[in-house]
Amino acid sequence: MKGEKKQREPRFAFVTKSEVDQLEDGYRWRKYGQKAVKNSPYPRSYYRCTTQKCTVKKRVERSFQDPSTVITTYEGQHNHPLPTTLRGSAAGLFPPSMLTPSPLGRPSFPHELLMQMPNYHHQMNNQAPAGSMFAENFSPFHHYVHQHQVPDYGLLQDMVPSTFLKHEP
DNA sequence: CGTATTTGACCCGCGC
DNA sequence: GCGCGGGTCAAATACG
C-alpha cells in the first residue's frame, strides 16, 4: 500500500516484436505477478521498476494471434535517472543524443509505433468477432497519443526498449 | 549472500 | 447480494 488510490497515471501501450518479456530498456524490472488472460492462451506478465522511487509499472501480454508479438503497456513515469549500475548492453545501446528529445519532439520511437498501429487495424477488420476484444486492448493507445502532445515530460528514456535498436535487419 | 524469480492466495471493484 | 475478473502482495525458492 503505497497510497496510490487514484490510477490517473497515463498508460500507453505499444506493440513490440519480441520473444522475451524481460526487455532491457535501461531500467530494472522485477516481475511481481503473472495471470492468464481470457480470450488468450498466453498469460500476462506484470513487471515493476525495482528502483526505490520508481513507481512505474509495466504490463506485458502476448498476442494470441502472433506469439512472437507482445503488447507492452507502460504505466506511470520514471522518477529517477537511469541506474549506472546497469552497465552492459542496454546502457551502451542508447546514445545520449537519443535520450534527449529534439525541440520538435519527434523521436523515432513513436514513429515505429504509429507504423504498427494500422497494421492491427487491418487485422481487426478481418476478425470482426475478435476485434471487439482487441478494441479494448488498443484503447490505451489513444492515451499514448495524448501523452505525446504533453511536452511536460519529455523523458523518452522511460521507454527505450533495446528491441527497437536491435530491430535492425 | 543477494538478488531475482516463481506460484498461490488474497483483495478490491464492478456487474448483474 | 453474490459472483467474477483483474490486480497486487507475500513468501518461498533458485540461481549467480
Side-chain angles (χ1 to χ4, degrees), chain A residues 4-116:
Chain A
E4 236 98 272
K5 41 193 96 162
K6 54 194 353 204
Q7 244 174 280
R8 284 249 78 86
E9 304 292 328
R11 64 168 116 205
F12 55 93
F14 64 92
V15 185
T16 315
K17 259 277 227 322
S18 214
E19 40 187 279
V20 200
D21 298 350
Q22 240 282 339
L23 295 170
E24 286 166 67
D25 54 359
Y27 290 100
R28 206 74 158 235
W29 299 96
R30 154 215 172 214
K31 188 196 265 179
Y32 72 87
Q34 190 174 305
K35 259 307 235 310
V37 187
K38 257 173 85 144
N39 284 312
S40 269
Y42 303 104
R44 184 187 276 156
S45 309
Y46 298 89
Y47 291 90
R48 205 173 178 186
C49 198
T50 63
T51 319
Q52 185 192 311
K53 284 286 183 256
C54 246
T55 70
V56 184
K57 287 179 285 190
K58 180 166 78 176
R59 187 178 319 167
V60 179
E61 182 185 332
R62 285 201 210 293
S63 216
F64 85 97
Q65 285 200 348
D66 279 302
S68 36
T69 305
V70 294
I71 303 170
T72 313
T73 312
Y74 281 83
E75 218 166 309
Q77 204 98 164
H78 290 287
N79 223 321
H80 88 103
L82 271 86
T84 47
T85 325
L86 185 87
R87 85 262 156 179
S89 28
L93 268 169
F94 18 77
S97 36
M98 203 182 172
L99 294 173
T100 311
S102 284
L104 238 317
R106 227 61 174 189
S108 51
F109 195 63
H111 233 257
E112 294 267 9
L113 193 62
L114 292 163
M115 256 166 107
Q116 304 237 8

Side-chain angles (χ1 to χ4, degrees), chain A residues 129-145:
Chain A
S132 247
M133 162 202 118
F134 266 90
E136 283 212 54
N137 267 333
F138 290 127
S139 225
F141 240 133
H142 283 217
H143 287 244
Y144 170 75
V145 179

